[in-house]
Amino acid sequence: MRNHDGQTIGAVQVLNKREGTFDAGDESLLGALASQAAIAIENTKLNESLLNKNVALSRARWDLEQRNREINVLYAIEREMHAADDLDELLDRILQQAIAAVGAEAGSVALRSRKQGDLRFHTTAGEHEARVIRQRIPMGVGIIGWVAARGEPALVNDPDTDDRVAHAFAEKLGARPRNLLCAPLILGDDTVGALELIDKKLDAGGNGLSSAGFDEGDLRLLQLIAGQASRAIQLARAKMDRENENRLATIGQMMAGVMHDLKTPMTIVSWYAEMMTELADADKRREYTELIKRQFDLMNGMTREVLAFARGESQLLIRKVFLARFLDEVTAHLRHELAGKGIEITPVSYTHLTLPTNREV
């Protein structure tokens, strides 16, 4: 058997003619059959080569689409990292990206508590999110606890037969997952939590987008997202630590300033209290009493602002000041300070004051 290039690719042999012996006609017929067999074999090899190339091209196309999908997800998460204001909002944004990218119906992010050592659900999405949020689960319990404890991912498409699934916890929440996908959140050598997705989405006909639920491609994508989430958590915590350090330093500076500022109202209170002991005029005593109360309100306001800043409830110490009242208090204080020194204070009309416009005022 020779191919179209004349190369011998095989041979055809027949044995033992039933009647008589082989002759030249038999040889010619066998040669023709061998030529046809060679053509058929070459065509089969060509088709097989084309099929293998198509399979390779399809696999390359799928890999390219997967890489493009992964890049798009990572880019979206990077963008969300810069848009979030705090850790909980950041985790919520990352979870929404993971659910959309993998095609899940629900999900959650649980982080290990630094004090108790268990897992707390920081953010959730899906039908039961209101019941799950802020719930706690021990390390090692459930798929999410198993992943967080071992630092290994998990893909479960038959949770009813998997002993790692926390069936009692799911029943308490009224949930019965069809499939679970979970990846650990790792910082250095430490696992700080896990990212879990629940139930591959179903199409309108009730069939899963993937007949077997989540697949290895989904798991790989979730692990990439979890890696980005871990980096985001690290950056967010570092930012929070820096803010706390700055806050403590600022509180120290504020306390020094408040202690200095308290001297003025305390002096005014002391002066008015001393004056009240010498007054018989009831109206004047009531006026001094109101002035004293105003100074106490001022001191209470100072302490409340410092405490609110220390608790992280406020970022800036902003207080509305009525300029006329403020200048009245300053005038009264100066009169007390300058009494007996031959200095007279002459108030001017506040409406004619021209205030500086620089930022330090």
Side-chain angles (χ1 to χ4, degrees):
M1 295 185 293
R2 292 185 175 86
N3 60 16
H4 63 279
D5 292 328
Q7 295 177 336
T8 301
I9 61 172
V12 178
Q13 176 180 257
V14 293
L15 303 172
N16 301 331
K17 190 169 181 178
R18 292 177 179 175
E19 296 180 1
T21 60
F22 292 115
D23 55 25
D26 296 328
E27 183 180 0
S28 176
L29 178 60
L30 184 59
L33 291 175
S35 297
Q36 293 298 318
I39 293 173
I41 290 172
E42 286 291 290
N43 288 338
T44 300
K45 288 182 177 180
L46 180 61
N47 289 334
E48 191 175 285
S49 175
L50 290 174
L51 181 61
N52 289 336
K53 289 180 179 179
N54 286 336
V55 171
L57 286 173
S58 296
R59 185 178 294 110
R61 179 182 177 184
W62 185 89
D63 289 341
L64 182 61
E65 291 175 350
Q66 184 74 5
R67 296 290 186 278
N68 187 55
R69 179 187 176 196
E70 293 169 358
I71 290 171
N72 288 337
V73 171
L74 295 180
Y75 171 75
I77 291 176
E78 189 73 23
R79 187 176 55 198
E80 300 291 4
M81 288 169 57
H82 295 287
D85 293 328
D86 55 40
L87 180 58
D88 284 344
E89 182 184 355
L90 173 63
L91 294 177
D92 183 65
R93 288 171 177 265
I94 291 176
L95 178 61
Q96 295 297 335
Q97 289 290 338
I99 289 174
V102 178
E105 293 185 359
S108 59
V109 177
L111 298 182
R112 192 179 67 200
S113 170
R114 295 182 179 182
K115 294 182 179 180
Q116 286 84 358
D118 58 0
L119 290 173
R120 183 170 74 97
F121 289 91
H122 274 252
T123 184
T124 62
E127 181 182 357
H128 305 286
E129 63 177 288
R131 301 177 187 175
V132 178
I133 194 66
R134 306 306 178 197
Q135 290 278 343
R136 293 182 178 274
I137 190 169
M139 288 286 287
V141 175
I143 293 297
I144 198 167
W146 184 90
V147 168
R150 298 175 65 96
E152 301 175 9
L155 193 163
V156 179
N157 282 320
D158 190 7
D160 290 338
T161 60
D162 197 309
D163 294 335
R164 298 173 297 175
V165 177
H167 297 288
F169 183 76
E171 289 176 4
K172 184 177 72 171
L173 300 174
R176 188 172 181 179
R178 298 188 307 273
N179 12 74
L180 297 164
L181 190 67
C182 194
L185 301 172
I186 300 174
L187 295 181
D189 297 328
D190 190 23
T191 302
V192 298
L195 170 58
E196 182 180 55
L197 299 183
I198 302 171
D199 295 341
K200 188 76 171 179
K201 278 188 176 179
L202 302 175
D203 61 21
N207 299 315
L209 298 180
S210 172
S211 59
F214 296 115
D215 56 29
E216 292 296 331
D218 296 329
L219 182 60
R220 174 182 169 179
L221 182 57
L222 185 63
Q223 286 180 277
L224 284 175
I225 295 173
Q228 285 293 95
S230 299
R231 187 171 70 88
I233 292 170
Q234 185 178 28
L235 293 175
R237 286 184 170 178
K239 180 181 177 182
M240 290 171 60
D241 290 340
R242 288 195 302 271
E243 288 179 352
N244 289 335
E245 291 175 1
N246 293 336
R247 187 179 296 276
L248 289 174
T250 304
I251 290 172
Q253 296 172 359
M254 288 172 57
M255 289 302 299
V258 167
M259 294 302 296
H260 179 270
D261 292 342
L262 284 175
K263 292 179 181 179
T264 298
M266 290 176 66
T267 301
I268 295 175
V269 168
S270 175
W271 182 72
Y272 281 125
E274 183 179 345
M275 293 291 292
M276 287 175 65
T277 61
E278 303 174 359
L279 288 174
D281 187 343
D283 292 336
K284 203 66 175 176
R285 290 171 66 89
R286 277 193 296 270
E287 178 186 347
Y288 285 3
T289 300
E290 290 300 321
L291 291 172
I292 289 174
K293 287 181 178 178
R294 190 180 302 168
Q295 298 305 314
F296 276 116
D297 290 340
L298 178 62
M299 289 188 284
N300 285 333
M302 290 181 186
T303 56
R304 281 196 304 268
E305 288 174 346
V306 173
L307 289 175
F309 184 80
R311 289 192 295 263
E313 297 172 0
S314 66
Q315 297 296 327
L316 297 174
L317 299 179
I318 300 174
R319 181 169 65 244
K320 182 185 292 186
V321 176
F322 294 96
L323 187 59
R325 185 183 302 171
F326 172 74
L327 292 177
D328 284 339
E329 294 173 358
V330 172
T331 301
H333 177 64
L334 289 176
R335 280 180 177 156
H336 169 67
E337 292 291 328
L338 301 175
K341 296 182 180 179
I343 299 174
E344 181 180 354
I345 298 175
T346 304
V348 298
S349 175
Y350 303 133
T351 58
H352 293 89
L353 289 177
T354 302
L355 296 178
T357 58
N358 63 70
R359 288 175 172 265
E360 295 180 358
V361 173

